[in-house]
Structures are given as structure tokens and as C-alpha cells.
Amino acid sequence: MSNTSELVQVAKASLYPNYRQPDLVFGHGRGAELFDLDGKRYIDLFAGIAVSTLGHAHPRLVAAISEQAGKLLHLSNYYYNEPNVVLAERLCRLTNMERGFFCSSGTEAIEAMLKLARRHFWANAQQQRVRVIAFNKAFHGRTLGALAATGQPSYQEGFGPLSPTTHVAYGDLDAVKAAMGDDVCAVIVEAVQGEGGVTPAPEGFLQGLRDLTTEAGVLLLGDEVQTGVGRCGTFLGFQSFGVEPDAIALAKGLGGGVPIGAMLCKPFLINALPPGSHGSTFGGSPLASAAANAVLDVMQETDLLKHVSEVGAYLAQQLAGLAEKHPKIAAGARGRGLLQALVLQEGVDARAVVEQLRDKGVLVTVAGGVALRFTPPLNVERALLDEALNVVDEVLGGLS
Ligand SMILES: Cc1ncc(COP(=O)(O)O)c(C=O)c1O
């Protein structure tokens, strides 16, 4: 079973049909390029939904994973393992948090953070604080807890009843104030709404949330699953706004492609989840931790955050130029660092544009139903971006 049509046939007959994959099978990648089984080359500007921080087959990541696999792959949390201890200390330093809990995905990190909030108040004799304030168009994951915070009704349909949550408009501090009450335990927010359409927090919004939550005595939870690990040009998306939440969730880019999630919190929260109250068999595995350490090593040694800021600014400028050039198709550009979007005009079928780009060898994703989202590997080179942007220009030109 090695050719595309055979594999696609078997996939359609055996995989659960909850995704919408095209008839394409990828075999390998190199940097920001992917190759399908027929040898066709694609420029990868989606990086597995903002995951492949160092691109594909980065020699440092490959070496770290191989070396760790030969030593110790898995242990569980019954004992410490060195790569995980090292990683925890590094992440606390990078984020100015006090402690880190490890799991294997973004949703699990969010779930841990929501449980942290509830149990913190339960342990402080405020059991009534169970409600969360979240934002319309937010995406926080799909387990029942995280799904309650996700502010997109289409994802929630058919899964209720969900945990008590109030959704308000992203950017609307008055609405947050109005939704506040003594049953609220936390406000959860993304510094840039990724899945919702690549919408950066409006000026002053995150600081306003910081002030409101402090005043109300509730937690500010930062969902850094998509924005974290350098994606916005700072280690955390929140750092680019100069605001510190009480706890954060990381995942996606942290392992450069190896599944890992982390929840980090401030000192006053370190007793909220005592032994036995929460856990994960795979969380903090030596393999995933070694991968994350390799990502952080390369990030530091190559000054990757500076590269993200520079190339991100370039990409933003080029996308804004394309929007000006094709005003009937594109309405504008927005984003932060290498989380950028070209917003399409109402009525333009974003999915069809993504398909046309893919046929011409450029991979991007749709965000919020209205935008082409660009989340390339953080070490993407400008020349490759230029090559891909020429294709975007051509496709938009064909639609105008
Ligand atoms: C902001 C945000 N939070 C949480 C998640 C869920 O992460 P995962 O798919 O790893 O469970 C995502 C995934 O897209 C995300 O973008």
C-alpha cells in the first residue's frame, strides 16, 4: 500500500470521517517544504496548524528525539526525568511563571488551567466560583471543559449541557465588567484570536482585562496554545502586549511537532492542584521534553524571536500590499509576528481559495471562515515566502 490512490481509498474506508482531507498523502518534509507521495513539492505556510516551529526534519530536533528515544522514551509521572525537569525550569524562566504542569495537547493544557481555577476557589471557600468568562469566536479546544470556553456555537452544537460560561465580544471591556459576578472564577483569553480569524487584541484590551480581573479577585487565564513559543515575535503573545496572566496554556509549537502541552502558573496557585487532583500518563515524557528543549535551544542560539519579528513584519506588509492590489477579493491584512492573515471580502469562498493555492503548491489554512491564515515555520526564509506570495498574487489575480 504505497501509492496515493490506494492509501486514499483505505483512508476513506477506515478513518473516522470527522475531517475533510483532500485526496493527498504527504511523505516527507524539509524545512518549510512538504512533498507528497508523488514527489510534488509544496511550500508549507501552515506548519501543521502553527506547530512545526523549526520546519520539517530539522537536524537538531531529529538528533534530540533520536538520542532521547535511545535512552528513555516514556516513564510516566511516578518519577522525575531530566529533560522534563530542565524544561520546566526553562519555561518558568521564559514566562515568569512559578510552576509547570505537563500534558500532551493544547486542549489538555486548557482543561488543566480551567480545573486549576475552579479548585483554587474551592480550596479557598469560594465554591460558588465556577463560571468562566470567555469571548465570541475564541477557540480553546474540544473536550467538554475547553469546549465550553470555545466561543463558536457550531463547535458546541449537540454537545450540551456545558460548563457555565458567559461569552462576550472580544475587545469589549464593558461587556466583561457587566458579565462579572461572585460566581465567576476566571476570564480566559487569547492574545490574538487564532482560529477565530487571526484577530489581535485591541489596544488596551488585555491590560484592561488584567485590571478588571485583579479588581474582581478572579483569575486571568492566557491561552497561549497558538500564540506562544515565539509565534508572535515574543516568547508569549501576552508579552508582546506587556501583560501577565495568572496562568497560561502552551502546546502546538512547543515540541516542534512532538505532542506536548504545558500549563504554567503564578506562585499563589501552586497549591490549587495537590497530588491526586489532576494528572496525565504521557504528560512531561522524556521524549516530548527533549524535543521541546531542542526547540528552545535552537530558538536561543539562532535569535529566532528576532527573525520572527522581522520576517513577520515583512509578511504583514506583503499581505497588506496584496489586499491593496486585489481589493475585490481581499479586505486587508492583520496579525502579529508569524501569525498573519489575509482577510477576504465577504462572499469570497475562503476554502476554495485555499484549494487553489494548494493545487499550485502553497499550503495555508482558513481562519474564522473569512481569512487565509499564514503560520509558517518560525525559521521560514524570506525567499520561500516571496515564492509563495507570488502564487497568492496569481490566484487572487485570477479571481479578480
Ligand atoms: C488557541 C487555542 N487553544 C487551544 C487549542 C487546542 O489545542 P489542541 O488542538 O492541541 O488540543 C487550539 C488549537 O487550535 C488553539 O488554537
Side-chain angles (χ1 to χ4, degrees):
M1 213 191 347
S2 62
N3 72 54
T4 302
S5 61
E6 269 176 15
L7 282 164
V8 166
Q9 208 181 345
V10 177
K12 287 186 197 297
S14 47
L15 284 173
Y16 198 86
N18 60 318
Y19 298 117
R20 245 189 241 110
Q21 288 109 332
D23 293 354
L24 241 180
V25 184
F26 284 99
H28 70 283
R30 188 182 55 221
E33 293 171 309
L34 275 167
F35 299 86
D36 69 19
L37 289 191
D38 302 322
K40 182 175 168 185
R41 166 186 175 263
Y42 297 79
I43 299 177
D44 178 6
L45 301 188
F46 90 115
I49 328 181
V51 166
S52 308
T53 313
L54 306 180
H56 303 285
H58 191 285
R60 287 288 293 281
L61 188 55
V62 173
I65 293 168
S66 312
E67 197 187 315
Q68 189 57 49
K71 281 202 238 167
L72 185 64
L73 202 55
H74 172 75
L75 186 69
S76 87
N77 295 293
Y78 270 69
Y79 302 97
Y80 295 128
N81 73 79
E82 186 178 349
N84 186 242
V85 173
V86 169
L87 177 64
E89 196 274 333
R90 291 176 91 172
L91 287 179
C92 286
R93 235 178 327 117
L94 285 163
T95 60
N96 201 27
M97 293 283 159
E98 189 74 8
R99 298 289 162 94
F101 161 83
F102 289 91
C103 49
S104 308
S105 69
T107 303
E108 283 173 84
I110 297 292
E111 203 70 39
M113 202 160 63
L114 294 170
K115 285 179 74 176
L116 175 92
R118 277 221 187 166
R119 209 170 185 293
H120 165 69
F121 287 108
W122 177 85
N124 284 284
Q126 294 187 68
Q127 290 88 337
Q128 84 284 0
R129 287 200 180 272
V130 295
R131 184 163 57 95
V132 167
I133 298 177
F135 296 93
N136 298 338
K137 296 192 184 166
F139 188 84
H140 298 296
R142 297 179 189 258
T143 55
L144 288 173
L147 183 64
T150 288
Q152 306 192 36
S154 63
Y155 294 152
Q156 294 184 339
E157 192 179 44
F159 296 113
L162 297 167
S163 259
T165 310
T166 304
H167 287 97
V168 300
Y170 189 64
D172 188 343
L173 286 173
D174 289 335
V176 176
K177 211 183 274 181
M180 202 58 86
D182 64 7
D183 61 335
V184 171
C185 61
V187 175
I188 185 168
V189 66
E190 299 158 87
V192 178
Q193 284 195 329
E195 299 300 309
V198 188
T199 310
E203 188 67 33
F205 178 53
L206 296 180
Q207 185 59 52
L209 286 182
R210 178 65 285 178
D211 297 342
L212 270 179
T213 47
T214 303
E215 199 179 304
V218 309
L219 305 189
L220 180 62
L221 307 178
D223 182 344
E224 292 276 359
V225 169
Q226 189 155 156
T227 49
V229 197
R231 177 64 47 196
C232 296
T234 42
F235 189 73
L236 296 178
F238 267 78
Q239 288 168 341
S240 80
F241 292 85
V243 175
E244 273 197 350
D246 298 309
I248 57 161
L250 293 174
K252 285 197 185 279
L254 183 57
V258 177
I260 183 168
M263 185 276 289
L264 292 116
C265 68
K266 287 289 186 190
F268 73 98
L269 292 167
I270 65 179
N271 295 318
L273 295 173
S277 63
H278 192 59
S280 157
T281 298
F282 290 120
S285 86
L287 183 81
S289 302
N293 279 321
V295 168
L296 298 184
D297 287 344
V298 174
M299 192 168 269
Q300 277 161 3
E301 288 164 21
T302 62
D303 210 354
L304 196 54
L305 295 182
K306 184 160 170 261
H307 177 79
V308 172
S309 298
E310 288 170 1
V311 180
Y314 177 72
L315 176 58
Q317 179 206 343
Q318 296 301 304
L319 292 176
L322 285 175
E324 260 176 49
K325 187 171 171 191
H326 304 285
K328 283 195 190 136
I329 307 299
R334 63 185 178 218
R336 203 103 176 169
L338 279 173
L339 176 54
Q340 295 288 339
L342 183 68
V343 184
L344 301 177
Q345 293 288 11
E346 225 171 281
V348 176
D349 182 349
R351 206 169 274 155
V353 180
V354 165
E355 279 168 22
Q356 279 202 39
L357 288 170
R358 187 181 63 227
D359 290 346
K360 291 181 185 295
V362 172
L363 302 175
V364 297
T365 48
V366 176
V370 296
L372 301 182
R373 175 177 42 177
F374 296 76
T375 54
L378 299 188
N379 56 1
V380 68
E381 283 165 18
R382 199 181 273 217
L384 213 54
L385 277 183
D386 282 335
E387 189 185 336
L389 289 165
N390 281 337
V391 177
V392 178
D393 188 14
E394 189 188 318
V395 166
L396 297 181
L399 292 166
S400 292

